[in-house]
Amino acid sequence: MLLSLLAVASAAIQPAAGATEEPYARTSQNVVVPVQRERQRDLEEWGYADAVVDGDRVWLSGVVAGLRPDETIADQEAAFERAFQRIGDVLERSGAGFDGVVEMTSFHTDMSAQIEAFKKVKHRYIRGPFPAWTAIGVTRLVPDRGLVEIKIVARRRPGI
């Protein structure tokens, strides 16, 4: 009986005869890439996409809020603002928006020095009812001037 159930389950997850695409494969139709040429080069070099759409879910790659060469830690709010603007752009191109965010994970290089400014900017974009959020302290990010990396999972707008 158990072997019969295993055989049925195995057959159910096998690709259809003649299928040329693996189940859940990333394709040009569900991978979101940047519009800006310089960002396209960065993503090609590092080997990642802005986001991948899987059904009604959008999985964003982490976006790093970093200081520009002429900025100091006093400018961290501007860095967070740029990061959330970029996230908003990726969400829009994916058929989602900030209201569709279901989970956010943020990785902070100095939690105590960053969290209040981060929350202030986050609340401009993500309003209640709030999504799940996990904040994690890390030693460093890439690039070196990175302060916080923000990872998002969102749900697409209905009917898209």
Side-chain angles (χ1 to χ4, degrees), residues 33 55 60 63 79 102 106 153 158-159:
V33 296
L60 276 69
V63 173
V102 295
S106 54
V153 178

Side-chain angles (χ1 to χ4, degrees), residues 32-98:
V32 180
V33 296
V35 177
Q36 304 88 348
R37 193 76 182 124
E38 64 277 3
R39 285 213 176 121
Q40 289 174 2
R41 284 192 297 269
D42 290 345
L43 295 178
E44 284 294 321
E45 177 185 341
W46 288 89
Y48 70 98
D50 272 349
V52 175
V53 177
D54 181 24
D56 70 344
R57 298 284 187 223
V58 181
W59 304 81
L60 276 69
S61 291
V63 173
V64 176
L67 296 172
R68 292 180 172 160
D70 61 328
E71 293 178 329
T72 68
I73 195 66
D75 301 305
Q76 68 180 340
E77 194 171 316
F80 300 151
E81 184 74 29
R82 287 189 300 269
F84 275 98
Q85 287 173 357
R86 182 169 174 199
I87 290 167
D89 173 63
V90 175
L91 287 169
E92 283 300 317
R93 290 185 290 117
S94 304
F98 281 106

Side-chain angles (χ1 to χ4, degrees), residues 77-154:
E77 194 171 316
F80 300 151
E81 184 74 29
R82 287 189 300 269
F84 275 98
Q85 287 173 357
R86 182 169 174 199
I87 290 167
D89 173 63
V90 175
L91 287 169
E92 283 300 317
R93 290 185 290 117
S94 304
F98 281 106
D99 288 341
V101 173
V102 295
E103 179 184 30
M104 180 177 83
T105 305
S106 54
F107 303 88
H108 301 259
T109 57
D110 187 345
M111 186 84 68
S112 60
Q114 298 163 348
I115 200 68
E116 290 306 316
F118 184 83
K119 286 191 311 187
K120 181 179 176 184
V121 174
K122 176 182 84 69
H123 287 320
R124 289 183 205 145
Y125 292 89
I126 300 176
R127 296 183 178 92
F130 294 105
W133 174 28
T134 302
I136 301 169
V138 297
T139 305
R140 68 179 295 271
L141 297 168
V142 173
D144 286 331
R145 293 182 60 81
L147 302 173
V148 174
E149 185 162 350
I150 308 160
K151 175 102 177 70
I152 298 278
V153 178

